[in-house]
Amino acid sequence: MTTGGIFAPTIRYNHGTFYILTTYADTFLPFEQNSIIFTTDDIFSNNWTQPMYLDQAGIDPDLFWDTDGPVYLNTGCPESGPEGGITHLSLHFASRYSSQNINDTYQLGRETFLSPVTWSVDGWPCANGGKLITFDMQDPNLPSQSNVSNLLVHNFLSPSLQLGWEFRGTPSRPRWRIENDSMVLRGTVATLSALDGMALVLGKQDALFYDFSVDMSFNPTLPTHEAGIVAWVNDLYHNTIFLVQCQDQTNATCLRTLTTVGERGGEFDGNTTTIYYPLPTGLSNTTQSKSAASVRLHIRATPETYQLGYSMPSDNATTWLTAYTASWMAPHYECRISWQGARMGMYATGSGGVMLEEAVFRNVEVVRGPY
């Protein structure tokens, strides 16, 4: 079954029994989602009960045992009102890296902060002594500076993916493998607008100034075949630069950009803009096939703008082809808020057709700015 996955799990313990509750997202609308619960008496036995489905709508489930005996299921749901469950208190400290409010959210999504918490005599939590949560929270037991490097390189030297990569939907092995220090993707009929079944590998954008680039080679043999890189929010909002057959030229490979542009007014009102860019002739990658085009693709993010571009193996200079406003990386649509933030990654798709050719990606670099 294809679903939106499970999320917001919690584990509880009461009178010798462990409980795990999680939202079962068979839809993306929170007022139509339900939860499932598992229990065990021995958390180390790997002997959990079968899931029991709970018919109370809502997200972020939790259990509350009252002192006089009753047990309450607590879910949050903005559409269901008080009858949908007990209104719950959550301390969400969403980082607001950007100085501008972009559609009531931010392209980096939620981030986690550490903060001291004290409890009042009547049981209410108070974070940071009632003061603002800031970017630089000091703690004598923690390093005063971040050890995150401004340069991150993925060379695919190990047969396993490095930490930080993730899949959209089920990570089926026929769609990807690591071979010869490269990530190899074989596209399916599923496009990036599908909920599952895509050949798509993503990494989280974790800085406002963020440059993602990768070498790739690909030989599209049908007009529907494409492979490239993507700035991803969800199945409705993603912007791509990729290799594809040139229009009306089956023996030539072009770069193509597909972006959502225009001013935001309603929910899903952008104009999709697509442009073909012929590659310089005579380029090939003999490690894949003589006709496979080889190019380095780039996405550069700033707080205001995302740019898509490319560079050639013989020239380190980047040619920027198009740009779009950062507001398209933080959209709202049908309650699907971009809490997780933007991702960047690699993909291949047959766009509804069978695809036997493979796209080869290598030498991924992430540079955190400012540039």
Side-chain angles (χ1 to χ4, degrees), residues 125-136:
C126 179
N128 200 33
K131 301 177 183 178
L132 290 176
I133 305 296
T134 65
F135 294 123
D136 299 314

Side-chain angles (χ1 to χ4, degrees), residues 201-217:
V201 185
L202 298 168
K204 179 175 172 54
Q205 179 187 341
D206 58 9
L208 282 179
F209 292 91
Y210 194 87
D211 196 324
F212 178 90
S213 63
V214 59
D215 292 323
M216 72 162 295
S217 55

Side-chain angles (χ1 to χ4, degrees), residues 46-169:
N46 198 27
N47 184 26
W48 292 81
T49 62
Q50 291 297 309
M52 180 174 68
Y53 292 84
L54 307 173
D55 61 3
Q56 176 172 297
I59 59 175
D60 302 342
D62 196 6
L63 292 177
F64 171 71
W65 287 267
D66 208 343
T67 55
D68 59 353
V71 182
Y72 297 91
L73 171 63
N74 167 21
T75 59
C77 183
E79 300 292 336
S80 62
E83 69 275 8
I86 302 171
T87 301
H88 65 284
L89 171 67
S90 299
L91 293 179
H92 290 301
F93 299 117
S95 69
R96 300 189 174 186
Y97 283 107
S98 176
S99 60
Q100 56 184 329
N101 185 313
I102 305 173
N103 302 324
D104 298 322
T105 187
Y106 303 83
Q107 61 258 43
L108 297 189
R110 288 180 174 176
E111 296 288 343
T112 302
F113 287 84
L114 287 176
S115 171
V117 177
T118 56
W119 274 259
S120 65
V121 293
D122 54 356
W124 290 98
C126 179
N128 200 33
K131 301 177 183 178
L132 290 176
I133 305 296
T134 65
F135 294 123
D136 299 314
M137 300 294 293
Q138 300 299 318
D139 188 303
N141 299 313
L142 295 176
S144 59
Q145 294 183 345
S146 170
N147 60 359
V148 176
S149 172
N150 287 335
L151 174 63
L152 179 64
V153 178
H154 293 278
N155 288 324
F156 303 114
L157 301 178
S158 168
S160 301
L161 274 178
Q162 293 174 261
L163 292 176
W165 292 108
E166 60 190 64
F167 294 91
R168 170 71 173 174

Side-chain angles (χ1 to χ4, degrees), residues 277-291:
Y277 305 88
L279 284 174
T281 58
L283 293 170
S284 65
N285 178 9
T286 56
T287 61
Q288 187 185 18
S289 75
K290 292 182 179 179
S291 57

